[in-house]
């Protein structure tokens, strides 16, 4: 059974380009006798005449012309494939799949992704949020490469890196009774409508670190998916929300809002980026984590 090989196509292409075995051999780093032997061997292996000799020149047969056309199409693709594979192996090319477990982190992520893409022009970024608070399973099953979360769940084979510190604060509108105060107690939220993202209360820090330890629950809870609508509702006195202070500052020019510290000492949080330990040698992935921790680097 004849097997067409890449080196067959390379020889056919070079002989056709140069018109003689001597010139083609020089380009292929082969002596004229070695190339002549290779030509005969190719015809024997493929079971078809590829060249006919006219004087000192080799002319392609009909089968040879077809193989030349094939070589001109396939050989550049082989070269490109090898280049791409080398880039993948060196961590220079790929798609960085980021899973979000943090609704308000999108604004922070935008500030990181834009300059990162300039540094890595051959890397794409795909941001996914379908793993809402199930990101650990997604990263362990290789559905995503990086997990953005404020609440890392340490598992064997995973590594979490803190990249951004922030404070969780209460956000109130300009007409709210708490507008202008420095800090709030859990009891002061007992009669409030608390606007949150559509997340179970056991995964919301305003509950787990502030209200529940004091045995307090808000009068009502409303769930809203988008930060913009949430802040519009807060600005118009429809409730209060707990958000990162940096995010409230980002929206300060659009809405008349006030940040209030939660409790005497506040609630300090961090954004973590999780990755698989086996991806430690993927350069564009590890560089994203390092760049997120220090964008000025």
């Amino acid at each position: 059974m004849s097997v067409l090989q890449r080196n067959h196509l390379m020889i056919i292409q070079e002989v056709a380009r140069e018109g003689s075995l001597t010139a083609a051999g020089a380009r292929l780093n082969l002596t004229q006798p070695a190339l002549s032997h290779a030509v005969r061997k190719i015809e024997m292996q493929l079971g078809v005449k590829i060249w006919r000799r006219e004087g000192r020149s080799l002319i392609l047969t009909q089968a040879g012309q077809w193989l030349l056309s094939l070589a001109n199409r396939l050989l550049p693709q082989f070269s490109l494939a090898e280049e791409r594979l080398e880039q993948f192996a060196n961590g220079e090319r790929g798609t960085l799949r980021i899973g979000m477990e943090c609704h308000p982190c999108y604004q922070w992520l935008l500030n990181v992704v834009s300059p990162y893409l300039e540094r890595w022009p051959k890397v794409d970024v795909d941001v996914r949020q379908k793993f809402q608070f199930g990101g650990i399973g997604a990263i362990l099953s290789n559905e995503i490469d990086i997990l953005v979360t404020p609440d890392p769940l340490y598992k064997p084979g995973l590594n979490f890196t803190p990249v951004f510190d922030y404070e969780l604060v209460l956000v109130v509108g300009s007409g709210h009774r708490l507008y202008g105060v420095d800090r709030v107690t859990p009891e002061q939220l007992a009669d409030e409508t608390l606007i949150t993202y559509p997340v179970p209360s056991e995964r919301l820090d305003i509950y787990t670190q502030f209200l529940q330890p004091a045995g307090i629950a808000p009068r009502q809870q409303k769930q809203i998916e988008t930060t913009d609508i949430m802040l519009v509702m807060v600005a118009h006195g429809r409730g209060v929300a707990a958000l990162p202070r940096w995010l409230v500052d980002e929206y300060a020019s659009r809405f008349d809002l006030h940040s209030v510290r939660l409790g005497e000492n506040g609630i300090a949080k961090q954004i973590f980026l999780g990755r698989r330990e086996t991806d430690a040698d993927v350069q564009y992935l590890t560089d994203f984590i390092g760049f997120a921790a220090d964008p000025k680097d």
Side-chain angles (χ1 to χ4, degrees), residues 101-270:
E101 271 194 347
C102 175
H103 279 78
C105 292
Y106 270 109
Q107 195 68 31
W108 168 83
L109 186 63
L110 285 175
N111 295 332
V112 175
V113 166
S114 181
Y116 171 80
L117 291 176
E118 293 181 7
R119 285 165 59 114
W120 290 89
K122 297 178 181 177
V123 174
D124 295 327
V125 171
D126 181 16
V127 180
R128 310 179 183 186
Q129 201 181 1
K130 67 178 182 178
F131 314 105
Q132 290 177 3
F133 299 95
I136 294 296
I139 197 168
L140 286 174
S141 62
N142 289 279
E143 295 178 73
I144 57 176
D145 304 306
I146 285 181
L147 176 64
V148 181
T149 180
D151 302 300
L153 183 59
Y154 293 94
K155 294 277 189 180
L158 297 182
N159 179 276
F160 286 91
T161 303
V163 294
F164 187 72
D165 299 328
Y166 67 94
E167 180 186 1
L168 189 72
V169 296
L170 188 74
V171 189
V172 300
S174 60
H176 196 275
R177 61 188 177 87
L178 295 175
Y179 190 93
V181 304
D182 293 330
R183 55 184 51 84
V184 65
T185 65
E187 290 76 14
Q188 288 176 291
L189 299 187
D191 291 329
E192 294 293 338
T193 296
L194 181 62
I195 302 174
T196 72
Y197 294 107
V199 172
S201 58
E202 60 267 20
R203 295 300 303 268
L204 291 170
D205 295 308
I206 184 68
Y207 280 99
T208 60
Q209 296 194 42
F210 190 66
L211 294 174
Q212 290 174 354
I216 301 295
R219 176 175 56 84
Q220 183 183 7
Q221 179 185 359
K222 290 183 179 179
Q223 294 186 337
I224 296 178
E225 286 197 8
T226 61
T227 303
D228 292 71
I229 298 301
M230 182 184 293
L231 291 178
V232 167
M233 295 283 284
V234 170
H236 286 80
R238 302 301 196 273
V240 298
L243 293 170
R245 185 184 292 277
W246 62 264
L247 183 63
V248 181
D249 293 341
E250 290 260 354
Y251 282 85
S253 61
R254 297 171 54 188
F255 304 106
D256 189 1
L257 301 169
H258 177 63
S259 300
V260 185
R261 173 159 288 177
L262 291 164
E264 187 67 25
N265 300 314
I267 298 178
K269 295 288 295 180
Q270 290 178 304

